[in-house]
Amino acid sequence: MTEEKQSLEERAHNRTQRPQSDAFRSFIGEDWGARPAGPQRSAAADYLPARHFKLGSQFRGERLVFPAGDLQVRSNDTDYRFRAHSAFAHLTGLGGEDEPGAVLVLEPLPAGNETPEVTHEAVLYFHPRASRSSEEFYADSRHGEFWVGARLSAHEMSTLTGLNVAHIDTLRDALAKDLGEVQIRVIPEADAQIESLVEELRQENGLTTDASEINAQLAEAASELRLIKDEYEIAEMQKAVDVTASGFDEIVASFPRARTHWRGERVIEGAFFAKAREEGNGLGYDTIAAAGNHANTLHWIKNDGPLQDGTLMLIDAGAEVDSLYTADITRTLPVSGKFSDTQRLVYEAVLEACDYALDVASQPGVRFRDIHAAAMTVIARHLHEWGILPVSPEESLLPENQQHRRWMPHGTSHHLGLDVHDCAQAKRELYQDALLEEGMVFTIEPGLYFREDDLKVPEEFRGIGVRIEDDIVITKNGAVRISENIPRTVEEIENWMARLAQ
Ligand code: GLY
Ligand code: MN
Ligand code: MN
């Protein structure tokens, strides 16, 4: 007798014994109580029409597709926690772990139906919850209520977002409608399946323009749309910074345990993560917890080292709140609570660079790139004073030289928001070369990094890495440091540690 061959996919069911009887199916669908009230309209909902219009008016008459993205396998049948693509989050106001597999479509209004403020109709395609008499209810580990909780109904999703909604199963037909007469663009690299669906429909309908080029233009516009934050976004940024501030208090309070733990960096990382999860959605990026010379590895996220007395500890961490806006803060703290003379010298040079960059950012007529240039003048001057820079600061600052960048190799500022490096697809003239404008949110984060094997610096500097990073909003009164409440001067930090790291 030959055994029937099972596909690998089917074998995943070998570990389960699901009841198949009609008796069970009808029994499990019976006698469930009333559902609780659904969600209220989200605080973001009122801001969506203006965002849709600002974007839509650049693509009149075109169908615009914004996938949330889908679940990603971590291993076997275990997925990473879901986090929506930032363009989707920005245009739907959805946050948390909403809404894997969903797609927002900005559907062009027929010519003549446009108004001065509306160019497109926004429709959110998603998978609403099924009834309790469906097999999905108990048997679908991806969508079923028994597995992932009660998903929103179409009506509830519409109440929450203020958007029109439709079942995801109708997406294909909706995307195909009048294609050829209507142009279609999709945000690239958000959801491979949706991207291929759009490509397939384009081909079927004779749309021969270069898809990668027209999709890149949509990504660019969606990214540029976030360069100026509205008041809701700025309030969310402040929340993210406030959660991050309490996370940094937890970090400082965890120092006594971290100093005695064989992987003290992990103790610090864990202390921050706990707060970020308790008060927000989680982290905007992996925490850098870098003791001593590890601070000189800019993206040190291994965090497996011990803390040694007499060294510095650099922590770069940001809480992402439920709306998915993230803070991005760095503090550099002396492990034993007090800075040594050399550590203090380096620290205060970096602090001066931060303060000068903030002053410059407050002045009218300043371009984004001027912030970095300002910080670099301070860094180069100090390196020269310490006898480290082999040329004068003026010579080093010339574009054809830049020797000082050996000790400060990264940029001083980047936009911040839903992505930690927000607006990353914006054109250079709207980013580095742009004038600062009210509503911009960005970091100021100079540093100095003296690697322990750097023979160009005196021995007492080796192994010291310092970065100070704050989050800034441009208001009508100039640049405001919204992370003001997180201690940053030498005195504030030593007092903070004396108070909490006991
Ligand atoms: N935490 C990443 C950055 O500071 O840009
Ligand atoms: Mn940063
Ligand atoms: Mn950072």
Side-chain angles (χ1 to χ4, degrees), residues 328 414 421 443 445 469:
D328 181 11
H414 56 81
H421 297 152
T443 66
E445 51 175 309
E469 177 173 25

Side-chain angles (χ1 to χ4, degrees), residues 285 288 299 316 328 330 414 420-421 445 467 469:
Y285 54 93
I288 296 169
H299 288 169
D316 185 340
D328 181 11
T330 306
H414 56 81
V420 62
H421 297 152
E445 51 175 309
R467 177 165 65 258
E469 177 173 25

Side-chain angles (χ1 to χ4, degrees), residues 2 5 109 149 290 321 350 444:
T2 53
K5 192 111 170 98
L109 294 181
V321 286
V350 175
I444 292 184

Side-chain angles (χ1 to χ4, degrees), residues 357-433:
L358 184 70
D359 282 351
V360 166
S362 267
Q363 291 159 19
V366 167
R367 294 186 190 276
F368 193 84
R369 63 176 136 83
D370 299 333
I371 305 169
H372 174 72
M376 290 308 95
T377 62
V378 178
I379 294 292
R381 177 162 49 77
H382 283 288
L383 286 167
H384 186 256
E385 271 166 19
W386 302 331
I388 292 175
L389 203 59
V391 297
S392 71
E394 295 72 25
E395 282 174 275
S396 188
L397 290 165
L398 292 173
E400 62 270 30
N401 292 331
Q402 301 281 304
Q403 287 87 342
H404 58 282
R405 296 295 298 277
R406 174 180 172 119
W407 299 285
M408 162 59 189
H410 59 76
T412 302
S413 292
H414 56 81
H415 277 267
L416 179 67
L418 285 166
D419 288 333
V420 62
H421 297 152
D422 210 34
C423 315
Q425 283 81 38
K427 288 186 280 297
R428 188 175 181 90
E429 58 261 40
L430 295 181
Y431 200 123
Q432 283 296 335
D433 296 345

Side-chain angles (χ1 to χ4, degrees), residues 416-487:
L416 179 67
L418 285 166
D419 288 333
V420 62
H421 297 152
D422 210 34
C423 315
Q425 283 81 38
K427 288 186 280 297
R428 188 175 181 90
E429 58 261 40
L430 295 181
Y431 200 123
Q432 283 296 335
D433 296 345
L435 289 169
L436 296 187
E437 265 185 71
E438 190 179 337
M440 286 183 172
V441 179
F442 54 83
T443 66
I444 292 184
E445 51 175 309
L448 273 170
Y449 308 91
F450 300 112
R451 301 171 71 88
E452 69 185 356
D453 55 356
D454 188 344
L455 304 182
K456 284 205 185 288
V457 302
E459 213 166 323
E460 70 266 24
F461 284 82
R462 293 181 200 163
I464 293 180
V466 172
R467 177 165 65 258
I468 305 168
E469 177 173 25
D470 282 292
D471 299 345
I472 314 297
V473 174
I474 300 290
T475 70
K476 59 178 177 305
N477 301 317
V480 171
R481 203 166 50 223
I482 56 172
S483 45
E484 185 95 86
N485 291 338
I486 308 177

